[in-house]
Amino acid sequence: DSLDEKQILQTAVQALGEGLDVLSCNAALYDLSSKTAIVHYEYTTSFTPVQGRVMSMDNAPWLYEQLLTGQYFQFCSLFPNPARGRVSMLVCPIIDDNGVLGDLWLVNDAGYGFKELELRLMQQVTNQCAIALRQARLYQASQSQVQELKRLNQLKDDFLSTVSHELRTPVANVKLATRMLGVTLARRAEAFEDPEIFTQPTELVALDQQVREKELYYLKMLQDECQREINLVNDLLDLQRLQEAQTAIATETIELNEW
């Protein structure tokens, strides 16, 4: 009923420990990359807790070689353990079709022999734990993918917002330059239609020179902003081609000292 890995194993350990009335029950998960087993969950009535203990598989190859091949077994300690004394143990791997995920332990008095019924129960519980753990991890992986998709979608929205702003900026400048160019041309037209408003001919010449300079300024602004808009659109097209792998990336050697 749960996709919480912690709740799954803690419930199994607690139920087995209480149901079978053993001294201790614990579950360890494997990290095969570092070849370690970590005790994550434990039920105990009298022993010193071992939860959190990290065990190296290389230190007990006789044990983990069998568990990693899916074999269960029970054994007893020949020499008293400093914390537990002499005990009997039953260990069963938590395994599914994709491999071993961990193991489950039952610990009891030294003279206790685990029954066939207890062994079958252990196998059933570990099988169910393996299925539940795999489902929980698949669910967590799917949730991670959902979060990644949300992040990518937000990046896309941010990108489109930025691009829209960048594309609007040259257009606004073009509109401004066009309007000012229109005002300048209108002023010249008015001046030449009624030249008598100027007291000296040189004033008309000076005005004409100023108007020409403004015309050239606004014309250059129009040209620059149009080219800027073209460059932005070309960048977007290049980005799309790169994403679709339609354009090969051309690499070149540069001199780091010059840069």
Side-chain angles (χ1 to χ4, degrees), residues 23 46-47 75-89 106-112 114:
L23 297 178
S46 57
F47 292 146
F75 58 98
C76 61
S77 51
L78 296 177
F79 303 99
N81 184 281
R84 298 183 172 184
R86 295 190 62 185
V87 293
S88 61
M89 291 164 279
L106 293 179
V107 182
N108 225 333
D109 294 322
Y112 187 83
F114 290 97

Side-chain angles (χ1 to χ4, degrees), residues 127-183:
N127 287 339
Q128 294 297 323
C129 282
I131 294 172
L133 286 177
R134 192 66 70 181
Q135 289 175 336
R137 293 179 180 182
L138 288 174
Y139 174 75
Q140 291 299 324
S142 67
Q143 289 299 104
S144 298
Q145 290 177 346
V146 168
Q147 294 302 318
E148 178 65 12
L149 289 175
K150 287 182 179 179
R151 187 186 70 84
L152 293 176
N153 190 59
Q154 184 62 47
L155 285 176
K156 181 200 69 175
D157 292 342
D158 293 343
F159 174 75
L160 291 177
S161 176
T162 302
V163 167
S164 300
H165 174 75
E166 292 296 328
L167 289 175
R168 281 198 303 266
T169 300
V171 173
N173 291 334
V174 168
K175 290 178 64 178
L176 174 63
T178 303
R179 183 180 302 170
M180 296 305 297
L181 187 59
V183 171

Side-chain angles (χ1 to χ4, degrees), residues 163 166-167 170-171 225-241:
V163 167
E166 292 296 328
L167 289 175
V171 173
E225 294 304 318
C226 285
Q227 186 59 48
R228 180 180 173 187
E229 188 82 5
I230 291 172
N231 292 340
L232 287 171
V233 172
N234 287 338
D235 287 343
L236 287 175
L237 293 175
D238 288 341
L239 180 61
Q240 182 180 7
R241 294 191 188 101

Side-chain angles (χ1 to χ4, degrees), residues 26-31 34-39 50 52-60 63-64 103 105:
N26 65 72
L29 293 177
Y30 291 173
D31 183 348
S34 61
K35 300 183 70 175
T36 57
I38 305 174
V39 180
V50 296
R53 178 181 296 176
V54 180
M55 293 167 289
S56 173
M57 295 181 180
D58 291 334
N59 291 338
L63 172 67
Y64 290 104
D103 55 41
W105 291 73

